[in-house]
């Protein structure tokens, strides 16, 4: 199932600009996450978008592409893979 | 009324969650409040009226609280784990400085106010080092 969202905030600059539209696949139990994926997670009652930096024991460590302005796993720690709501498929990024 | 295409289409936001939108952090905010604390301590013995003394103590406590507030924002929002790796005494600096701000609420001894300013200067040196990196 497709998920469409609009970016709010600067933490994923320069990859994703505020106001841009992103498209993802809704995550399921069969989703295979990998390091480098940009994912939409649910955290603190909000949907947030970050990049997976590390995966260990079904836990993920997330970073923003703009680390000087990002609140991410450096602040809130490792999250369960279950927090992932969608995996970005567009725009394509490297 | 301005209506965007994305709101018309019902596209929900996703948060590229960041620090304060302005991204402005500076130990100068804490230093200025600490300078107020010190100056009040110095002026306190020369105040003639009890009302002025009460007011001085009240304002000194407010300023010391602001020092704590500004230091906490720096400590928790600006500094990141990579800064701690390069400056392992960072947590202790903030802990001691915020405790000293508390100590300054209990006294009118200018020496205590100067200790607070010196601690903020140490934090400022670390802050500038992270900016230069």
């Amino acid at each position: 199932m497709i998920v469409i969202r609009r970016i709010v905030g600067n933490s994923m600059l320069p990859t994703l600009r505020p106001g841009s539209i992103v498209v993802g696949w809704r995550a399921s139990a069969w989703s295979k996450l990998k390091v480098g994926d940009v994912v939409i997670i649910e955290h603190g009652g909000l949907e947030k978008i970050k990049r997976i930096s590390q995966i260990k024991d079904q836990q993920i460590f997330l970073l923003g592409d703009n680390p000087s302005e990002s609140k991410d796993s450096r602040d809130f720690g490792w999250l369960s893979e279950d927090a992932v709501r969608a995996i970005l498929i567009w725009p394509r990024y490297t | 009324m301005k209506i965007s295409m994305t709101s018309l289409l019902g596209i929900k936001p996703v948060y590229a969650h960041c620090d304060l939108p302005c991204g402005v952090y500076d130990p100068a905010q804490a230093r200025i409040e600490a300078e107020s604390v010190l100056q009040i301590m110095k002026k306190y013995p020369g105040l003639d009226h009890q009302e002025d003394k009460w007011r001085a103590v009240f304002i000194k406590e407010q300023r010391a609280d602001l020092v704590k507030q500004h230091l906490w924002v720096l400590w928790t929002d600006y500094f990141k784990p990579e800064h701690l790796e390069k400056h392992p005494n960072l947590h202790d600096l903030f802990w001691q400085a915020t405790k000293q701000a508390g100590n300054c609420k209990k006294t009118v001894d200018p020496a205590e106010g100067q200790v607070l300013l010196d601690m903020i200067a140490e934090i400022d040196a670390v802050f500038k080092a992270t900016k230069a990196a």
Side-chain angles (χ1 to χ4, degrees), chain A residues 27-82:
Chain A
S28 70
W30 297 275
S31 296
K32 181 71 179 167
L33 299 174
K34 57 185 189 302
V35 170
D37 281 346
V38 174
V39 291
I40 294 172
I41 55 157
E42 180 147 347
H43 179 256
L46 290 175
E47 282 190 340
K48 300 176 185 176
I49 188 162
K50 300 290 169 192
R51 191 183 295 276
I52 296 177
S53 164
Q54 298 174 64
I55 301 178
K56 187 172 66 181
D57 301 330
Q58 295 180 314
Q59 300 271 305
I60 51 176
F61 195 87
L62 301 162
L63 292 176
D65 284 1
N66 180 13
S68 67
E69 284 194 57
S70 180
K71 285 276 192 185
D72 46 41
S73 286
R74 294 171 299 167
D75 301 289
F76 50 70
W78 291 75
L79 296 183
S80 164
E81 287 184 348
D82 295 340

Side-chain angles (χ1 to χ4, degrees), chain A residues 6 8 11 47 49-50 69, chain B residues 12 14-19:
Chain A
R6 171 175 48 86
V8 175
S11 79
E47 282 190 340
I49 188 162
K50 300 290 169 192
E69 284 194 57
Chain B
K12 292 182 189 172
V14 61
Y15 294 89
H17 203 55
C18 53
D19 284 349

Side-chain angles (χ1 to χ4, degrees), chain B residues 3 25-26 29 44 47 52 54 67 74 85 101 123:
Chain B
I3 300 173
Y25 298 100
D26 199 322
Q29 289 176 294
Y44 184 86
L47 298 174
D52 290 338
W54 286 334
V67 171
L74 262 183
E85 285 172 19
I123 289 170

Side-chain angles (χ1 to χ4, degrees), chain B residues 55-118:
Chain B
R55 187 161 174 265
V57 167
F58 178 68
I59 293 171
K60 177 175 65 69
E61 297 220 357
Q62 283 183 322
R63 300 297 160 178
D65 268 336
L66 284 170
V67 171
K68 284 187 171 183
Q69 176 72 29
H70 289 310
L71 290 178
W72 282 329
V73 169
L74 262 183
W75 189 6
T76 57
D77 291 357
Y78 171 75
F79 284 102
K80 299 280 194 294
E82 57 263 35
H83 298 143
L84 187 63
E85 285 172 19
K86 289 181 184 166
H87 305 277
N89 63 335
L90 189 67
H91 286 339
D92 194 53
L93 275 178
F94 274 98
W95 183 42
Q96 297 298 341
T98 48
K99 282 180 79 68
Q100 183 62 20
N103 288 340
C104 286
K105 293 165 72 174
K106 301 178 209 164
T107 178
V108 289
D109 179 359
E112 295 294 329
Q114 187 58 55
V115 169
L116 177 60
L117 270 170
D118 293 345

